[in-house]
Amino acid sequence: QQPVQSPQAVILREGEDAVINCSSSKALYSVHWYRQKHGEAPVFLMILLKGGEQKGHEKISASFNEKKQQSSLYLTASQLSYSGTYFCGTDRGSGGKLIFGQGTELSVKP
Amino acid sequence: SAVISQKPSRDICQRGTSLTIQCQVDSQVTMMFWYRQQPGQSLTLIATANQGSEATYESGFVIDKFPISRPNLTFSTLTVSNMSPEDSSIYLCSVEDPFSSYNEQFFGPGTRLTVL
């Protein structure tokens, strides 16, 4: 089942904060976050593993609630370059196969 | 992280024809993944390509339509066969970072396919 992301879209002013959520109905091994700009490939931001380990972008933070199968991506002091579509990809321990959410479109205005 | 390239970067094809997309990685990787992204949509996994074995296809994707080759640990191809306009999509390959124990995945630049 495809994870559900919320919100579907968000508009920010530069410097504002945003939270993007990703929720799955199945137990997860890891959650991967990507940002995709129009016409480009998705860019890796963060991976969160069952057990608490995580690795990713130094200016972006995220959390992973294993019991609820939920992850949140925290974007603080947003910059114009943060604009794009954010996808979470969930891995149920199936050898790296990712199932992606429908995406959250983030627009940062000056 | 590994550097991934894809060829072609884009193509416009006639219905009924086939297109083979190449994915090249600058490091040896165990698994390569092929995804499809239809216009304005999310990414959908087509198949997993392991060197030395048959590709594993996800529900809704079949080998006759999307044959995959994986001749070595740095290269894979995906063929889109007997194309129709519904196949117009971006096709992306991805690999797990071979230099990391976290299994993060990185995507190639993608192949933008338009079928007329």
Side-chain angles (χ1 to χ4, degrees), chain A residues 31-62:
Chain A
V31 179
H32 305 229
W33 286 96
Y34 294 86
R35 176 170 60 216
Q36 185 177 32
K37 294 185 180 287
H38 184 69
E40 300 180 6
V43 172
F44 171 80
L45 295 175
M46 177 81 71
I47 181 172
L48 301 104
L49 300 172
K50 184 178 180 180
E53 289 186 282
Q54 58 178 259
K55 178 182 178 184
H57 199 287
E58 61 182 15
K59 294 186 177 180
I60 292 175
S61 63

Side-chain angles (χ1 to χ4, degrees), chain B residues 45-77:
Chain B
L45 180 64
I46 298 172
T48 303
N50 295 329
Q51 194 266 336
S53 62
E54 293 283 332
T56 305
Y57 290 83
E58 298 302 305
S59 177
F61 298 96
V62 295
I63 188 171
D64 289 346
K65 176 67 177 177
F66 298 101
I68 288 172
S69 78
R70 181 79 198 274
N72 57 54
L73 291 173
T74 63
F75 186 78
S76 178
T77 67

Side-chain angles (χ1 to χ4, degrees), chain A residues 16-99:
Chain A
E16 291 182 338
D17 302 339
V19 180
I20 301 173
N21 302 301
C22 176
S23 181
S24 173
S25 61
K26 303 288 185 181
L28 301 176
Y29 173 75
S30 63
V31 179
H32 305 229
W33 286 96
Y34 294 86
R35 176 170 60 216
Q36 185 177 32
K37 294 185 180 287
H38 184 69
E40 300 180 6
V43 172
F44 171 80
L45 295 175
M46 177 81 71
I47 181 172
L48 301 104
L49 300 172
K50 184 178 180 180
E53 289 186 282
Q54 58 178 259
K55 178 182 178 184
H57 199 287
E58 61 182 15
K59 294 186 177 180
I60 292 175
S61 63
S63 64
F64 178 24
N65 186 323
E66 298 171 31
K67 290 184 178 179
K68 294 185 177 180
Q69 295 96 50
Q70 293 175 348
S71 178
S72 295
L73 186 70
Y74 305 97
L75 303 170
T76 57
S78 59
Q79 306 171 16
L80 295 176
S81 61
Y82 285 12
S83 293
T85 302
Y86 289 76
F87 292 100
C88 68
T90 57
D91 179 3
R92 293 172 54 195
S94 54
K97 298 179 182 181
L98 297 182
I99 302 173

